[in-house]
Amino acid sequence: MEYLKLNNDVEMPIEGLGTFLMTPAEAEAAATAALAAGYEHIDTANAYMNERAVGRAIAKSGVARSRVFVSTKLWPSVYEAGMPAVDATLARLGLDYVDMLILHQPVGDYLAAWRTMEEAYRAGKVRALGLSNFPQDKIAEVIEASEVKPQLVTVECHPYHAQCDLRAYLAPYGTVIEAWYPLGHGDKGLLEEPVFVALAKKYGKTSAQVILRWHVQMGTSIIPGSKNPAHIADNADIFDFALTDDEMARIAQLDGTKSYYEQTDEALAGYLAMCPDFDAQE
């Protein structure tokens, strides 16, 4: 495993398991397989409705808590709830603290939520703070209003959409980009790009492993999701080779090809209206 040093000196494993769209049973099984395969980072969220399942997997894994970096996200419906929202999240996970707490969507009173997260950070309930799906103007708003600057911003990121402008903006703050859709949402066209096919053959890897290695060398945190134990293990088998500068430059030529996610006002309004009962999860 390789690690990223965040802007508060916390070390974060550069790769983790994402549990988006997994049922509790699927998330528990996947997290169990990931921890057995040597993963040190598991990502979940209030809205995934599988925090309890991830907590169970960590508890039964036998891996020391200090060796598991746990990320979760607050949903907009609890942004104004204050510290009880953080405490409820910890209770569902069965943990005294989380390593990364993230605001999930840029809607609602996210500045109030950020102040709550700063309070949780100072209280030792959270080791690092992040933003998810925030566009650059709203990231700037949080940075301007904050005492604790974001350690991480998680956004769509892959070779077709490398987020170069956002990287340049965040660099002075030492804020890390984390990629969801690191493999382009499993886009067959991305996986079959000639550059990845050729590099996979050269290094004896799969195209997916080459893409994940590209992310690592870009300094991007990655949280690929899989329910298949073999795929989970394969996704972590990326630390025994390195792409050359020329190969990284060839991959860079794909940037700007496409993105898969468009944030709309309608979608944000829908997120704000969603008020799940997070404690109802299994």
Side-chain angles (χ1 to χ4, degrees), residues 53-81:
V54 167
R56 288 193 297 269
I58 293 168
K60 72 181 184 183
S61 70
V63 179
R65 173 66 185 92
S66 61
R67 297 299 302 168
V68 185
F69 192 99
V70 182
S71 298
T72 192
K73 308 172 193 72
L74 298 179
W75 188 249
S77 62
V78 301
Y79 281 2
E80 296 184 49

Side-chain angles (χ1 to χ4, degrees), residues 73-205:
K73 308 172 193 72
L74 298 179
W75 188 249
S77 62
V78 301
Y79 281 2
E80 296 184 49
M83 196 59 70
V86 176
D87 290 339
T89 296
L90 293 175
R92 286 190 294 271
L93 285 161
L95 301 175
D96 295 326
Y97 68 92
V98 290
D99 300 275
M100 177 71 69
L101 188 60
I102 300 168
L103 296 184
H104 204 154
Q105 297 291 348
V107 66
D109 197 346
Y110 48 82
L111 293 181
W114 190 265
R115 289 190 292 272
T116 296
M117 296 209 308
E118 288 181 323
E119 182 183 350
Y121 177 85
R122 288 189 288 267
K125 296 179 181 182
V126 179
R127 297 179 68 222
L129 307 180
L131 300 169
S132 173
N133 300 307
F134 275 60
Q136 187 170 312
D137 62 331
K138 292 187 176 181
I139 295 171
E141 186 182 0
V142 172
I143 288 174
E144 177 65 24
S146 65
E147 295 180 10
V148 180
K149 306 306 178 187
Q151 277 79 48
L152 177 140
V153 171
T154 179
V155 291
E156 177 185 358
C157 183
H158 43 76
Y160 284 159
H161 189 56
Q163 296 283 5
C164 292
D165 289 345
L166 182 60
R167 289 178 195 277
Y169 171 73
L170 294 175
Y173 304 102
T175 302
V176 167
I177 283 182
E178 182 172 80
W180 53 259
Y181 285 178
L183 298 173
H185 202 38
D187 183 352
K188 186 177 179 182
L190 176 62
L191 296 173
E192 293 180 352
E193 283 285 352
V195 63
F196 298 127
V197 173
L199 290 173
K201 183 176 181 180
K202 173 183 175 180
Y203 290 108
K205 298 291 182 178

Side-chain angles (χ1 to χ4, degrees), residues 24 33 49 81 88 107 122-123 158 160 175 179 182 191 194 206 211 217 226 231 238 249 253 256-257 280-281:
M49 300 296 282
V107 66
R122 288 189 288 267
H158 43 76
Y160 284 159
T175 302
L191 296 173
T206 65
I211 293 170
Q217 291 183 217
S226 177
H231 290 168
I238 59 171
Q253 295 174 12
T257 302
Q281 62 185 262

